[in-house]
Amino acid sequence: MYKVMIVDDEYYVRMDLRMMIDWAGHGFQLTEDAVDGQDALDKIHQCRPDIVLLDIGMPGMNGITLLSRLKESQFQGQIVILSCHDDFNYVKDALLLGAQDYLLKHTLEPDILEKTLEDVVGKLEGNRQRNEQVIKWKHLEAQSLQMERNQFFGQLLHGYAAANRNSIAERLNRLELRFSLTHSVVMIVKIHEEPSAQNRGQSSEPVRAQVAEEINRTYLNADAGYCYAAEDGELVLILGFESVPSFLYLQNSLHEQSNGILALIRERFGLGASIGISGHCSSTEHIADYYLQAKAAIAGVYFIGKNRIIPYSEVSDYSRKPSKSFKEYEELLLRERRDPLEIAGVVEEICNGIIEQKVSLEEAKAFYFEFVSFIKKQQRDYGISEQELFETGRSPYEALNGMETAEEAKIYLTKVMLRLSELLPIGSSGKYRPEIAQAIAYMKNHYAGDLSLEVVASTVNMNSTYFSNLFKKETGQNFVAFLQRIRLEKAKALLRTTHDKVYDIASQVGIDNYHYFCKAFKQFSGMTPIQYRTKEKQ
């Protein structure tokens, strides 16, 4: 509905206008009336009417003065003048000030009012459509300019654009950017995803674009630099300076700006972030090299940690290879894999060594991938399922590759090695015979059912007596004890990863007697199911 305000000092005129037509039926909503110009000015600012029926000849602030004030304030509504015969000169002035039409009070009839309002609504709609089109054009123009800017800086930083000073200055001018690249610094912002957003599968691209826009609006302008979300997911900043008074001035300026950007991302978007900063570039011909410095700096998050400001100088020597290959650690891992305390210490020693040696990011990840390959070999050799060992819906390689820091990788590998230590059968120092490994795999896939020695023996084409003896020889446990361990290990996993009731978990792992389950679980783990869940959730 269009809002209409009646402005007239005469009560009977206002009431007559209110009763003349069915306002709501014609798509109008009447606001509170105004009795003079000043009253109207106050109420127009409050009610924001689309149409004002305005009497010219009022005491105090008259209609002409009000029209002038509304024009100064860029009022977007339409004005229709209410006049008498002797107001003609006023009417002329009113029309010059932007009034759309005028109505003679003493000859006003419902059909005349309705027709006038219909015409005014047509003008409102025309204005609205024009305004929408202008806004749309401006938005498209801004988008086009942004795309041109992003493309230019992407080409420049990757070495595809002409890098001489004059051509760059000309391009910056065309892109409506007024900063100089006589001296420059490249920065890359890495936004640390929140786990909840990752789990929901939400795209981070819109967030990065919003952050870039906010950085440009708050910390940069056309005179200082530019920030954009690159196609590879990076958030890139180029800061330009005509001159740099001193190295200390530049360092202080970059530190202050970086802290402000991190605070903005944290406070307005609720996200953590790190910033990698290149060295000081004094030649546009080499700016692509300084972009690589910024990339190397932000890669340093893996070793130095999240939510940091990392200058290139701090990570420039992270380029070495590990002093020992992973193969040299395998014997130690195999020897200590059954002892939880020892194996945790071994993993920490290995991972800390990688960081202390300042190896490159590529070498570190390759080393950790070898670690995962070693763990997966143990998993296959002992018939342990991937889901049981890694407890995740994706491969361990994907999980490891998605980790942002070496500390996260260390925690993950320690956790998996401790799980492996729990799952390895007692009394066995080598891998199983193929038949026993196959039988164990079957047991781990069918533990929830009514599983018997005879059924499992038949899956590997052995009679039950021979299979029972061979099984105990290979695993160090009899069939019943081994199956019980599988069921209780699975119960531990369900207690850690679900909110299911304990009696439901007992049933899910193939133990229907709840009291027996609780007793067996306590004998196996040293605590009740509830105590175990509470401890693991802490």
Side-chain angles (χ1 to χ4, degrees), residues 131-347:
N131 289 339
E132 286 179 355
Q133 192 63 42
V134 168
I135 291 169
K136 184 178 179 180
W137 286 337
K138 286 183 177 179
H139 179 67
L140 290 173
E141 186 180 14
Q143 278 189 322
S144 177
L145 181 61
Q146 184 184 51
M147 287 175 63
E148 284 188 61
R149 288 173 171 178
N150 294 0
Q151 184 181 41
F152 167 67
F153 284 112
Q155 291 173 344
L156 181 66
L157 295 179
H158 285 87
Y160 301 140
N164 68 76
R165 188 173 300 177
N166 291 335
S167 64
I168 287 176
E170 184 181 331
R171 284 293 299 276
L172 290 175
N173 185 55
R174 287 207 306 268
L175 295 171
E176 300 177 21
L177 295 170
R178 296 180 295 277
F179 60 89
S180 168
L181 287 179
T182 303
H183 301 271
S184 60
V185 171
V186 182
M187 299 165 66
I188 294 178
V189 179
K190 182 180 181 64
I191 295 175
H192 305 305
E193 305 275 3
E194 290 185 311
S196 58
Q198 288 178 340
N199 292 340
R200 290 193 298 269
Q202 295 177 346
S203 170
S204 57
E205 289 183 20
V207 174
R208 287 189 176 90
Q210 290 169 25
V211 172
E213 185 178 343
E214 195 64 32
I215 290 173
N216 281 323
R217 181 165 50 244
T218 306
Y219 282 97
L220 301 176
N221 55 50
D223 298 311
Y226 183 67
C227 176
Y228 71 99
E231 291 181 358
D232 58 5
E234 292 178 341
L235 207 59
V236 184
L237 289 85
I238 304 94
L239 306 180
F241 312 89
E242 181 61 40
S243 62
V244 176
S246 69
F247 175 77
L248 183 60
Y249 167 84
L250 180 63
Q251 293 301 105
N252 289 339
S253 176
L254 293 174
H255 187 73
E256 181 181 346
Q257 204 149 34
S258 297
N259 276 320
I261 289 170
L262 293 183
L264 179 149
I265 295 171
R266 182 174 59 252
E267 292 166 9
R268 299 196 188 179
F269 297 91
L271 296 168
S274 296
I275 298 180
I277 308 175
S278 77
H280 166 210
C281 175
S282 57
S283 170
T284 53
E285 293 178 359
H286 299 119
I287 196 168
D289 297 330
Y290 287 83
Y291 169 63
L292 295 178
Q293 286 188 8
K295 286 178 74 71
I298 201 62
V301 166
Y302 194 77
F303 301 105
I304 294 172
K306 297 180 183 179
N307 304 307
R308 293 286 303 272
I309 299 169
I310 307 174
Y312 172 68
S313 58
E314 195 171 335
V315 297
S316 59
D317 56 348
Y318 278 77
S319 57
R320 305 182 181 122
K321 290 188 175 184
S323 59
K324 294 169 66 176
S325 71
F326 182 79
K327 289 286 183 186
E328 296 178 68
Y329 291 102
E330 286 189 1
E331 184 178 343
L332 177 61
L333 288 165
L334 288 169
R335 186 172 66 247
E336 304 296 351
R337 64 188 170 179
R338 295 181 182 282
D339 187 327
L341 291 177
E342 288 296 328
I343 199 64
V346 169
V347 175

